[in-house]
Amino acid sequence: MTSVRELFGTAPRRVLVQGITGGEGSYWTEQMLAYGSQVVAGCTPGKAGQVVAGTPVYDTVSHAVADHDIDVSVVFVPARFAKGAAIEAIEAGVPNVIVLAEFVPVHDTMQIIAAARACGTRVIGPNCPGVVFPGRDFVGIMPGWSERLFSPGRIGVVSRSGSLGALINLHLVQAGFGQSAFLGLGGDPIVGTTFRDALEMFEADPTTDAVVLLGEVGGPMEEQAASYLESMHKPVVSFIAGKNAPEGKKMGHAGALVSGGKGTAASKMQALSAAGALVADVPTEIVSLLQGLDL
Amino acid sequence: MFVEEADAKRLLAAGGIHTPVGTVAETVAEAVLASGGPVMVKAQVPAGKRGKAGGIVAADSAEEVEAAARRLLGSELGDHMVDRVLVEPRVEIAHELYVAVVVDATSAGPLLMVSAHGGVDIEDVHESSPESVAKMPIDISIGLTPSDAEGAVAILGNLLDGEQKRALVDVLLRLYERFRFLDAQLVEINPLAVTTDGSLVALDAKLIVDDNALLRQLDLPAQRAVGTALELEAAEQGFLFVELDGDVGVLANGAGLTMATMDAVTAHGGAPANFLEVGGMAYKRATPALALVLKNPKVKSLLVNLCGAYARTDVIAEGLIEGWKTLAPDLEVSFCIHGTGEERAQELVRTELGREPHESMDDAIREAIANAAKRVEATS
């Protein structure tokens, strides 16, 4: 497994923005560029020849990759076009694809992941906020530039949710910690990169001393991570959101659903704790658990 | 979306899967008209385990059908009112099988399941004899192949003869086609009956369609409204809202932060009144979101916990202030605001509402819980 610092290749990582001419795509392209991310090309069908924030726009991903080396594509297109856009990038040979859209049909996600497996592509998302490498670059819709939320440091943070990730990052920075990387995996029941993948990348990363894992109810991702955690050397501190989630009700995220008694916060906390993770009862406890570690 | 049995069967039949020819009745008279010979009278509600709850009745005469329909129609089954029953001819069963295709999070793809133990709760079979359930991950880019389906059928050993095995392979291929065509999260036939004359009939059908695909699934029945009056109103406005039993109204941005805020309220000895998130695209709609939270009469104090990333807290604060001024609720409100737009958001709350936002989320939560307790004390 590659180290998280080499996710998307060794710096400088060149970014393609799919949907760059849209309101969100152009706004976040400007923010990424201002922070230092190397956005080298954009893509919107029918808009070839335009320039957004100094970035050339292409009709198709294959046209963009003919002119530029691309390490990662970030897909800003709406849910109903996300599958087509993501698979276009995968088939054009882009090695990493981040899908931001919420409400992507799960059959589309399964097809995206199948195409990625066939081509050896890493997919992050859908329904995710992207990734931040404090002090270096970010890709997605987390405000990487915010010094309240992000500071270069040695804690790896991985979260299904962007908002809970923001809260914990705020607490970390307030307490004097910084992050080696923040990975937002997404709130859908099926996502391309899992907690287990993230833990493996942080374990392999020499700039990460400890990992904060922010899970939530629904799905088997936290339990899968627990089975890997037993063989990890780095400490993991965790919080699982949704102890109050009633059975059968979606808690905002399509994946946050307790069903048939499965996927409860209690079962996830128990699995992580049994595997050696420190599990916080309330989000604010994350910091004190980290402070108790001999880092 | 949970598709009720009668509609699920119609959609399976459209894919060439054999189902009993039944009649949907909304009145006792319609049910009696559909009687004739041995039948099953089955309450139609969007939930499983109807048999255990007494929602499935065998009837051998028009009188028995009438009695069953009279008892079921208008009754409550689980959380749902029974407004129609399915009257179906009974078939002579030799074996009951279980077949399903499900979206499997572990393999991140479709999973085909086949078991000889049909007609019972499949979860119990997974517990007692997991080896008796064939579970076959399917590569969605290839689809279910006949040889895969034959492989899954092998779990049944010699239960079926060669002809029946071929028929079952055909059912599995059709079931997978329905799974893909309908954007299903789950399509399950339990039981799939092997009748005494050797044919395969879907006696029950459970279909759950991915909510994210409803815009392109145009052949589905109208969705039954499920939830409290306030939850339905919220859904109509496009909010994700879950009503709970507590007295602290909660407004936060993002699903993860909202859940975590509710957890923290509970951990500090309080009880949240709702789940409602104003994150994602909803962050510009804080005014109607506030109105929904305040409509819940159980709310005795309000907690606003924001940590903006994508969502701008100053935009949320503007919306809340507008709503607060319009509704002028007689309620205490506690704020904690951080992240994108926090300086302006905090300033707006100070100047427009005269409230000092807490630096710590735990302090805001403790205050909101104390305010709710004070209010309860004052009114009792």
Side-chain angles (χ1 to χ4, degrees):
Chain A
M1 181 55 72
T2 51
S3 148
V4 72
R5 296 298 281 188
E6 284 151 27
L7 182 65
F8 316 151
T10 46
R13 285 160 304 193
R14 293 143 301 186
V15 180
L16 170 73
V17 175
Q18 288 179 263
I20 194 169
T21 56
E24 296 284 326
S26 58
Y27 172 77
W28 285 96
T29 296
E30 284 167 21
Q31 305 306 319
M32 284 189 270
L33 284 166
Y35 190 64
S37 306
Q38 305 277 313
V39 182
V40 297
C43 185
T44 301
K47 302 279 173 77
Q50 289 190 8
V51 174
V52 173
T55 306
V57 181
Y58 296 83
D59 274 339
T60 65
V61 177
S62 53
H63 288 163
V65 300
D67 284 3
H68 304 272
D69 291 325
I70 305 292
D71 298 304
V72 53
S73 178
V74 55
V75 179
F76 272 90
V77 307
R80 64 186 187 283
F81 304 123
K83 177 182 84 177
I87 291 180
E88 185 190 350
I90 290 165
E91 292 182 344
V94 176
N96 300 283
V97 178
I98 300 180
V99 183
L100 305 175
E102 187 175 6
F103 308 121
V104 176
V106 71
H107 280 234
D108 291 6
T109 300
M110 292 192 292
Q111 288 180 284
I112 292 169
I113 291 174
R117 282 177 181 160
C119 297
T121 316
R122 169 167 299 286
V123 170
I124 299 180
N127 193 10
C128 83
V131 302
V132 182
F133 297 90
R136 189 166 81 181
D137 56 7
F138 79 93
V139 186
I141 53 171
M142 281 300 273
W145 65 86
S146 166
E147 290 172 2
R148 297 274 283 146
L149 301 182
F150 296 105
S151 170
R154 300 186 62 85
I155 308 294
V157 182
V158 57
S159 177
R160 277 162 79 175
S161 155
S163 60
L164 180 58
L167 177 80
I168 299 305
N169 283 320
L170 173 89
H171 290 171
L172 292 178
V173 172
Q174 281 176 342
F177 289 104
Q179 304 91 346
S180 55
F182 168 77
L183 306 183
L185 302 183
D188 274 4
I190 292 184
V191 289
T193 295
T194 64
F195 277 132
R196 189 198 159 109
D197 299 332
L199 288 185
E200 289 184 18
M201 288 189 280
F202 282 122
E203 175 79 351
D205 175 35
T207 69
T208 298
D209 292 337
V211 183
V212 173
L213 184 155
L214 304 172
E216 55 192 49
V217 289
M221 265 216 300
E222 291 79 1
E223 285 84 348
Q224 289 165 0
S227 69
Y228 169 73
L229 208 146
E230 288 171 3
S231 65
M232 255 180 98
H233 296 95
K234 292 179 184 174
V236 174
V237 176
S238 177
F239 173 75
I240 305 295
K243 294 180 195 69
N244 286 300
E247 167 100 24
K249 298 260 190 189
K250 267 183 209 167
M251 304 305 279
H253 281 158
L257 175 70
V258 175
S259 161
K262 296 267 172 63
T264 62
S267 96
K268 290 171 186 300
M269 291 167 74
Q270 206 275 329
L272 288 164
S273 174
L278 300 174
V279 182
D281 273 330
V282 289
T284 37
E285 202 186 331
I286 290 272
V287 163
S288 51
L289 289 175
L290 275 175
Q291 285 165 335
L293 294 171
D294 185 23
L295 294 177
Chain B
M1 172 185 178
F2 193 114
V3 178
E4 290 171 24
E5 177 196 4
D7 300 304
K9 281 180 167 165
R10 172 176 62 79
L11 293 161
L12 290 185
I17 293 171
H18 189 187
T19 62
V21 179
T23 302
V24 175
E26 293 181 5
T27 64
V28 174
E30 284 173 3
V32 171
L33 273 178
S35 64
V39 297
M40 300 300 287
V41 183
K42 307 174 82 176
Q44 298 298 295
V45 288
K49 302 198 171 44
R50 290 170 300 157
K52 280 182 193 161
I56 297 177
V57 183
D60 290 316
S61 64
E63 290 72 27
E64 286 182 22
V65 170
E66 182 179 351
R70 200 171 291 287
R71 183 169 70 73
L72 291 175
L73 284 169
S75 72
E76 292 276 335
L77 201 66
D79 294 334
H80 307 286
M81 163 109 123
V82 179
D83 54 11
R84 47 183 203 155
V85 293
L86 177 64
V87 183
E88 266 184 359
R90 223 144 71 216
V91 300
E92 296 295 325
I93 300 168
H95 299 294
E96 291 183 314
L97 309 177
Y98 173 92
V99 298
V101 185
V102 59
V103 171
D104 176 42
T106 303
S107 62
L111 185 74
L112 172 69
M113 292 195 283
V114 178
S115 167
H117 302 284
V120 295
D121 193 339
I122 194 65
E123 297 298 331
D124 296 341
V125 180
H126 280 302
E127 288 277 313
S128 59
S129 52
E131 73 290 343
S132 73
V133 185
K135 289 178 214 142
M136 181 171 285
I138 298 164
D139 182 340
I140 196 169
S141 59
I142 296 168
L144 178 63
T145 64
S147 63
D148 282 345
E150 280 162 20
V153 168
I155 193 107
L156 303 178
N158 293 320
L159 185 65
L160 304 182
D161 64 30
E163 186 72 19
Q164 288 167 340
K165 280 184 184 167
R166 278 190 290 280
L168 180 56
V169 166
D170 181 65
V171 167
L172 295 179
L173 295 173
R174 290 174 188 280
L175 190 68
Y176 183 76
E177 182 277 330
R178 291 284 90 186
F179 169 81
R180 290 287 289 122
F181 182 82
L182 294 166
D183 271 307
Q185 277 178 321
L186 165 73
V187 57
E188 174 185 274
I189 304 176
N190 184 25
L192 176 68
V194 182
T195 62
T196 47
D197 65 11
S199 61
L200 298 176
V201 185
L203 293 192
D204 197 358
K206 184 171 173 184
L207 170 64
I208 299 175
V209 175
D210 177 13
D211 288 336
N212 288 350
L214 294 181
L215 285 175
R216 67 185 184 197
Q217 288 295 334
L218 303 177
D219 195 29
L220 298 178
Q223 191 160 7
R224 177 198 281 252
V226 177
T228 66
L230 210 49
E231 285 173 355
L232 294 177
E233 188 180 335
E236 216 159 86
Q237 296 179 38
F239 285 108
L240 299 158
F241 182 90
V242 178
E243 199 173 322
L244 301 166
D245 288 331
D247 52 16
V248 178
V250 176
L251 259 170
N253 63 290
L257 179 63
T258 308
M259 278 191 274
T261 306
M262 291 163 48
D263 292 344
V265 169
T266 308
H268 286 297
N274 64 276
F275 170 95
L276 173 64
E277 64 133 330
V278 288
M281 298 309 281
Y283 83 84
K284 294 166 185 162
R285 300 174 58 216
T287 310
L290 176 69
L292 277 168
V293 171
L294 296 180
K295 251 190 181 176
N296 180 352
K298 285 177 281 195
V299 171
K300 302 292 181 232
S301 86
L302 183 65
L303 168 69
V304 177
N305 186 29
L306 305 179
C307 190
Y310 169 80
R312 280 175 48 188
T313 58
D314 55 332
V315 175
I316 299 175
E318 275 174 1
L320 291 178
I321 289 162
E322 187 192 324
W324 195 270
K325 287 186 170 170
T326 311
L327 299 165
D330 174 26
L331 213 58
E332 285 302 321
V333 52
S334 309
F335 287 92
C336 178
I337 303 175
H338 291 294
T340 311
E342 65 178 26
E343 289 87 2
R344 183 160 170 268
Q346 291 173 358
E347 192 53 31
L348 282 170
V349 166
R350 274 185 208 108
T351 53
E352 299 289 321
L353 295 183
R355 256 84 172 184
E356 183 59 35
H358 291 269
E359 177 62 22
S360 138
M361 160 175 158
D362 287 329
D363 289 346
I365 289 171
R366 283 191 204 98
E367 183 186 88
I369 294 170
N371 284 338
K374 263 186 245 160
R375 178 61 62 98
V376 171
E377 212 169 282
T379 51
S380 65

